[in-house]
Amino acid sequence: MSTTPAAYDTLTVPEATLIQKELRAQLDLSPLSKPPQYIAGADISLNRFSEVIYAGLVLLRYSDLQPVACSLVQSITRFPYVPGYLAFREVPALVQALEQMPVRPDVIMLDGHGIAHPRRMGIAAHFGTLTQMATMGCAKKKLFGKYEEPGPAKGDYSPIMDKEETIGYALRSKNKVLPVFISPGNRMSLDDSLRIALHCCGNYRLPEPTRKAHEFVNLFRTGQLQSGYHEIGSGSLF
DNA sequence: GCGACAG
DNA sequence: ATCTTGTCGC
């Protein structure tokens, strides 16, 4: 009963650890039931030393990865950045951004880890169990686990291991760049997360959903986009 | 005690 | 995360 995002601001780290252990029991890593039609990228942006958080979801058509809509929300975050507890800082604003969307993405890709976390509760797993959405994590750095360097070619990957258990993958998303770290968050399998990540990789290190989300929240933070829900381009979604 | 440490 | 110029490699 202690999982209300509005109350995250005042939590202590030991209290946050308990919430993570509760949410872990709700993880669902069964395979995705149907091929996604829409995927959303989720990210946040901040001004240095500020408590104002700019959060956003960008919805992309899965087939061609073109952005079709975005949801932008401004909020306040007081929980500090503590490695292993990123969700308590960013998730409340991202939940608001999701609630503001009139459409449900089939999959959401978060900037950070899914189950590749000491308690299997990275931001993507946390956000996924909280919202009951299919989620996955794409991080730029390792948080937890061991991995061997993947091969040098785009698409090469190697497992991230905790003891004997695979908890994600280090994926070469582009030729001769540092790998990104992929793991499922909720309502999808390890294989699903890897397959989706591969599908979303283009000519940049970051997969399109994450890359676009980062771009949009930065435009939002710098005043070039307004908060709210916006459809992009011409086509209506319905 | 010593390193590691998402954003 | 964000702040920043030049610099290196393809």
Side-chain angles (χ1 to χ4, degrees):
Chain A
M1 304 301 89
S2 42
T3 55
T4 307
Y8 282 180
D9 276 357
T10 56
L11 289 176
T12 64
V13 167
E15 289 168 340
T17 305
L18 286 178
I19 292 177
Q20 290 180 332
K21 291 178 175 175
E22 293 173 7
L23 289 177
R24 180 177 185 170
Q26 298 176 37
L27 272 182
D28 173 9
L29 299 179
S30 57
L32 214 51
S33 49
K34 48 185 185 293
Q37 232 179 339
Y38 289 96
I39 185 170
D43 195 14
I44 64 99
S45 182
L46 298 152
N47 284 312
R48 194 148 69 155
F49 309 134
S50 169
E51 292 184 335
V52 178
I53 183 172
Y54 301 84
L57 253 53
V58 178
L59 189 69
L60 329 200
R61 201 180 300 111
Y62 193 72
S63 57
D64 61 0
L65 300 175
Q66 288 309 300
V68 296
C70 73
S71 173
L72 302 169
V73 166
Q74 180 179 328
S75 185
I76 300 286
T77 185
R78 295 203 162 87
F79 197 95
Y81 169 67
V82 182
Y85 300 85
L86 177 64
F88 296 91
R89 185 168 167 73
E90 301 192 353
V91 151
L94 291 174
V95 170
Q96 285 185 48
L98 178 64
E99 289 171 341
Q100 182 176 251
M101 284 198 120
V103 269
R104 309 281 69 172
D106 300 299
V107 173
I108 302 177
M109 182 183 287
L110 287 283
D111 195 355
H113 290 95
I115 63 168
H117 178 281
R119 292 165 295 282
R120 306 296 184 270
M121 263 299 140
I123 186 167
H126 191 128
F127 182 84
T129 52
L130 223 52
T131 60
Q132 297 292 299
M133 300 288 293
T135 61
M136 58 183 286
C138 173
K140 295 178 288 297
K141 298 174 187 172
K142 186 195 74 169
L143 170 67
F144 178 73
K146 303 272 196 186
Y147 72 99
E148 307 280 298
E149 197 65 22
K154 178 178 180 176
D156 289 343
Y157 63 90
S158 58
I160 305 170
M161 307 294 294
D162 176 16
K163 312 281 182 62
E164 304 292 279
E165 181 187 358
T166 298
I167 56 176
Y169 301 95
L171 168 66
R172 196 79 64 189
S173 50
K174 177 179 191 277
N175 285 339
K176 285 173 280 186
V177 296
L178 294 172
V180 294
F181 301 88
I182 303 297
S183 58
N186 191 42
R187 291 196 168 189
M188 74 169 68
S189 65
L190 279 159
D191 283 353
D192 287 332
S193 69
L194 181 59
R195 184 159 16 78
I196 292 170
L198 285 164
H199 172 84
C200 292
C201 287
N203 304 313
Y204 300 89
R205 180 183 178 226
L206 295 183
E208 281 303 291
T210 294
R211 196 176 75 84
K212 283 292 163 190
H214 193 265
E215 177 184 324
F216 276 62
V217 293
N218 270 307
L219 289 171
F220 180 32
R221 178 177 60 86
T222 55
Q224 304 170 71
L225 282 176
Q226 303 307 307
S227 70
Y229 176 76
H230 311 287
E231 301 205 335
I232 301 165
S234 49
S236 168
L237 289 178
F238 307 103

